[in-house]
Amino acid sequence: MRPAALFRDPPEYPDEGRTGVASAALTTDAHVVRAMRRALELARLGPAGGANPQVGCVLLGPGGELLAEGRHRGAGSAHAEADALSKVPEGAAAGATAVVTLEPCDHTGRTGPCSEALIAAGVARVVFAQSDPNPLAAGGAARLRDAGIEVHAGVLAEEAAALNERWSASVRLGRPWVTAKWASSLDGRIAASDGSSRWITGPEARADVHRRRAEHGAIVVGSGTVRADDPALTARDGTGALLPHQPVPVVVGHHQPAAGAAVHAHPRPLLSVRAHDPHATLVAIAETGARSAFLEGGPTLVSAWLAAGLVDELLVYLAPTLLGGDRTATLDLGVATIADQRRLHVREVHRLGEDLLVVARPAERD
């Protein structure tokens, strides 16, 4: 997918001892494996949760020396391969190896196909980690082979798949990936009886929430939550400064946020969905280009999406406290009997200060 100085000295890449290669011939090619690790680092610098995946590219000369690096910076910008090629003089990439985290695209959208750019540059070999799951863009590997270019796939495939997991799942599902989050006491309450909820969890857990917000394309709350809590729906660091990537703020419900609501100061335009249907909301979110949505509540909204089977991952922050009362994290989920319970698969448990984070997914889909 997707002029500076020409680098001539071999780069110093961190050696983590992980290869994950599919081609045995490449397991001893240290230059390629290290370059793929660097390409993954570059990919992570790109925006997450948007229309395009995070992609990084490293160009190596015939002797394994670093020629150039590139990365994708967001929809409409140069793809990683084109970005790297733009940093070398014309003809300097002839005979080079392009190491890319995702199969080069074979599709003309807002930019041209990366497969054609690599062919025109005269590269001799292309190594990529993950095949492109998007049928509109896939096919680059076959196009490169037809042009006589040596192609290898699967180097650090697991790391690459994890990097773009939500984006790839969104392509397969045909809708944005949905993460639901809530913070509660150990007895499952998200607020005291009077509705106050700041703060149930500690600063470490709250910082983790903001980091995860920034990994998604949109953040979704109900209009009732906006009226009650007046959330800014931004992603911020420990000092309160905005993080580089901000999710699109989405408010669901028939009531428009008040003129003075904090959400109107969000750096991204507000998306107001005048409906309660989760499917319609996902359609509207997809139209913004977002491939993932961070569902923050409240319990009526989260429960509706859980009941509809549209939640792909749950982040549950548990604080060592008891609140009692009836302000539970979820409402009716359509579970009439124990046989109807919605089983989850716990994937991770993290200690964040005094709090716990449980990362779980619906067992039937995980």
Side-chain angles (χ1 to χ4, degrees):
M1 293 293 303
R2 316 323 130 196
L6 175 64
F7 296 98
R8 297 188 181 278
D9 295 327
E12 292 295 327
Y13 295 118
D15 190 350
E16 301 174 5
R18 297 176 299 175
T19 56
V21 296
S23 172
L26 288 177
T27 59
T28 57
D29 193 334
H31 289 302
V32 169
V33 175
R34 290 175 181 174
M36 187 63 80
R37 289 200 187 103
R38 175 57 180 163
L40 287 165
E41 291 176 359
L42 293 167
R44 293 185 185 100
L45 297 175
N52 291 351
Q54 294 173 287
V55 184
C57 176
V58 172
L59 291 179
L60 298 178
E65 70 275 14
L66 176 63
L67 296 181
E69 299 178 339
R71 64 183 177 92
H72 184 52
R73 290 172 171 80
S77 66
H79 289 185
E81 300 93 321
D83 185 41
L85 289 171
S86 72
K87 297 174 182 177
V88 299
E90 185 176 353
T97 293
V99 181
V100 196
T101 57
L102 185 69
E103 176 186 3
C105 69
D106 195 45
H107 166 70
T108 299
R110 281 185 275 190
T111 61
C114 295
S115 56
E116 294 295 338
L118 292 166
I119 293 169
V123 302
R125 180 166 69 158
V126 173
V127 181
F128 63 86
Q130 179 189 7
S131 296
D132 195 329
N134 186 351
L136 294 177
R143 178 66 61 89
L144 293 166
R145 290 190 182 99
D146 290 344
I149 294 175
E150 182 183 341
V151 178
H152 296 269
V155 177
L156 301 184
E158 290 185 5
E159 287 90 333
L163 174 66
N164 284 308
E165 180 184 24
R166 296 188 189 102
W167 179 84
S168 297
S170 174
V171 171
R172 293 193 302 270
L173 294 168
R175 61 164 177 80
W177 167 281
V178 177
T179 299
K181 164 263 170 184
W182 65 76
S184 73
S185 60
L186 285 183
D187 55 350
R189 270 55 179 181
I190 61 170
S193 295
D194 65 353
S196 60
S197 60
R198 297 184 179 179
W199 297 103
I200 293 176
T201 55
E204 295 89 348
R206 296 198 296 274
D208 188 74
V209 169
H210 281 275
R211 179 181 65 81
R212 293 175 185 270
R213 282 181 179 181
E215 295 175 350
H216 289 73
I219 179 169
V220 188
V221 297
S223 56
T225 295
V226 173
R227 291 196 303 274
D229 298 336
D230 194 25
L233 301 186
T234 52
R236 302 180 299 277
D237 64 17
T239 69
L242 294 177
L243 293 173
H245 174 68
Q246 293 293 318
V248 174
V250 182
V251 176
V252 177
H254 295 294
H255 298 284
Q256 184 83 359
V263 71
H264 290 302
H266 197 286
R268 303 284 299 273
L270 170 66
L271 173 61
S272 182
V273 182
R274 303 289 188 91
H276 292 287
D277 178 21
H279 296 276
T281 303
L282 278 177
V283 170
I285 291 172
E287 290 175 350
T288 71
R291 285 284 190 177
S292 61
F294 196 73
L295 203 63
E296 287 235 20
T300 301
L301 183 75
V302 170
S303 299
W305 288 56
L306 283 167
L310 291 176
V311 173
D312 304 298
E313 183 173 70
L314 289 93
L315 304 177
V316 181
Y317 295 84
L318 295 172
T321 187
L322 302 173
L323 293 175
D326 59 358
R327 294 184 179 269
T328 56
T330 60
L331 305 177
D332 182 21
L333 299 179
V335 178
T337 178
I338 197 66
D340 299 332
Q341 64 183 298
R342 294 174 177 267
R343 301 292 303 183
L344 303 174
H345 175 211
V346 175
R347 294 174 59 90
E348 304 169 33
V349 178
H350 300 282
R351 179 76 177 263
L352 301 170
E354 290 297 309
D355 306 314
L356 293 178
L357 166 62
V358 178
V359 182
R361 294 183 182 177
E364 71 275 11
R365 293 209 303 273
D366 190 37

